[in-house]
Amino acid sequence: MRVLVTGGAGFIGSHVVDRLMSHGVTPLIFDHHRSAHHQAVEHFIGSILDVEALRLAMNGTHAVIHLAAVADVRDVFEDPSYAESVNVRGTLSVLEAARRCNIQRCIYGSTTWVYSDCLSPEVDEETPIPPPSHLYTATKLASEYYCRSYSTLYQLPYTILRFGIPYGPRARDGAVIPLFVGKALRGEPLTVAGDGQQFRQFVYVEDLAEGVVLALKPSAAERVYNLDGEERISIRQIAESVREMVGDGAQIVSTPARPGDFSGKRVDSTRARLELGWRPLTPFREGLQRYIDWYRLRQEQQNQIWSKVDAALRS
Ligand SMILES: NC(=O)c1ccc[n+]([C@@H]2O[C@H](COP(=O)([O-])OP(=O)(O)OC[C@H]3O[C@@H](n4cnc5c(N)ncnc54)[C@H](O)[C@@H]3O)[C@@H](O)[C@H]2O)c1
């Protein structure tokens, strides 16, 4: 079985590629750039706005896992027009290429941010979703709607996965856990927006990737699943855990709240457990420790590279 992963060079996508391989599935990567982690995997370098390039990549594949996007809400805020083109038109291109290639399933990587404007403090896949305030969420919901439309109009089966906030090795440096770890290691203060009581159900990225692969099951067609962690972790708790695990006594300071920030809901992933057999198995502190170990190792490797460059320039 061959599965194309758009955004396969990214944070979540690279772990999905790992998991596909461990399940005996052949992954192919479609991305703007090559993956730093998968030299032996077939790559298609291009933009998801290019339907023809996508068609070429999808030729002979069974399914597509669509993860390419402007995934950082700050980038969406800075350049909404570009974000809209990639996150909305890009999804349409993926669906269109999939339709023309008779792809058997399109798995779409959405987000639990779609629940941000729900009044209920607890949400599941049946919770009605009001119009979103944040443009990022609007682009993700638009893509969900497109998946449904393509299924109804063209019989292209979809699965929508709403991811919680992933963390773990290879995370983008701008996300909250990498920022805190980096600052703590440099001895800088850890800044917490607002009172820091906004919580998330962080999900360890390898657990998340397993859920994405399980969504290839035939029974997951035309279904929506939340894939989220089970523990409620506040931003302040993360700062405190990082401070303790890095062990340098970094200060924790408060800054003003971010506009449109998702204050946090309890997101229920029972459906994924019952139908896909998925559970996030990694406890938060264990995942955080693994991330800190990976971060330190990466830092050592980068330092070694710079020392070699320095030595070469001096000789
Ligand atoms: N990271 C999160 O917090 C989070 C949470 C929920 C949902 N998601 C969703 O999961 C998906 C993956 O997120 P991620 O964290 O791995 O992001 P990421 O930024 O690490 O990876 C996205 C990948 O998409 C590629 N890409 C972007 N635009 C492209 C284009 N026009 N053509 C081809 N490739 C393009 C990038 O090069 C990158 O490798 C996204 O759809 C995101 O919205 C992410």
Side-chain angles (χ1 to χ4, degrees), residues 30-266:
F30 188 102
D31 205 299
H32 265 156
H33 57 87
R34 287 192 67 85
S35 166
H37 313 286
H38 301 104
Q39 317 308 331
V41 172
E42 189 175 354
H43 279 66
F44 294 85
I45 304 301
S47 170
I48 55 162
L49 295 170
D50 183 345
V51 179
E52 287 312 309
L54 285 164
R55 275 182 67 178
L56 196 68
M58 284 182 204
N59 191 19
T61 62
H62 299 86
V64 57
I65 298 174
H66 175 37
L67 303 174
V70 177
D72 187 329
V73 287
R74 283 160 298 197
D75 292 338
V76 176
F77 184 79
E78 289 304 323
D79 194 345
S81 177
Y82 178 70
E84 186 274 344
S85 72
V86 175
N87 291 9
V88 185
R89 180 57 65 95
T91 299
L92 194 73
S93 301
V94 170
L95 292 167
E96 182 54 21
R99 170 173 88 92
R100 294 196 210 167
C101 292
N102 290 320
I103 291 290
Q104 289 159 31
R105 182 87 64 79
C106 181
I107 296 181
Y108 175 62
S110 187
T111 170
T112 56
W113 274 54
V114 299
Y115 300 116
S116 2
D117 295 280
C118 295
L119 294 177
S120 166
E122 299 200 3
V123 290
D124 65 17
E125 295 86 348
E126 297 302 319
T127 305
I129 295 176
S133 328
H134 204 292
L135 197 92
Y136 171 67
T137 320
T139 66
K140 301 304 284 184
L141 273 174
S143 288
E144 289 195 11
Y145 293 149
Y146 287 178
C147 290
R148 290 171 194 267
S149 302
Y150 262 71
S151 167
T152 308
L153 298 179
Y154 306 114
Q155 294 75 53
L156 171 63
Y158 69 84
T159 303
I160 291 168
L161 301 176
R162 295 178 179 151
F163 302 155
I165 309 296
Y167 72 102
R170 309 176 192 160
R172 280 178 278 120
D173 282 338
V176 61
I177 293 174
L179 275 176
F180 281 172
V181 171
K183 284 184 174 185
L185 286 168
R186 291 191 299 274
E188 294 171 11
L190 311 184
T191 46
V192 168
D195 61 6
Q197 292 310 313
Q198 60 275 41
F199 67 83
R200 301 282 187 272
Q201 286 159 256
F202 286 90
V203 56
Y204 189 65
V205 67
E206 293 176 30
D207 293 342
L208 180 64
E210 176 69 10
V212 175
V213 175
L214 289 174
L216 285 165
K217 286 183 179 185
S219 58
E222 316 297 306
R223 300 292 283 158
V224 180
Y225 297 99
N226 296 328
L227 296 181
D228 209 345
E230 289 176 348
E231 296 169 79
R232 289 159 59 105
I233 314 285
S234 75
I235 303 295
R236 180 160 288 275
Q237 269 177 294
I238 301 170
E240 286 166 358
S241 301
V242 168
R243 179 171 61 179
E244 181 198 324
M245 288 184 185
V246 169
D248 74 338
Q251 233 192 320
I252 298 175
V253 295
S254 296
T255 59
R258 285 191 301 180
D261 202 357
F262 177 25
S263 62
K265 310 258 177 243
R266 184 182 281 280

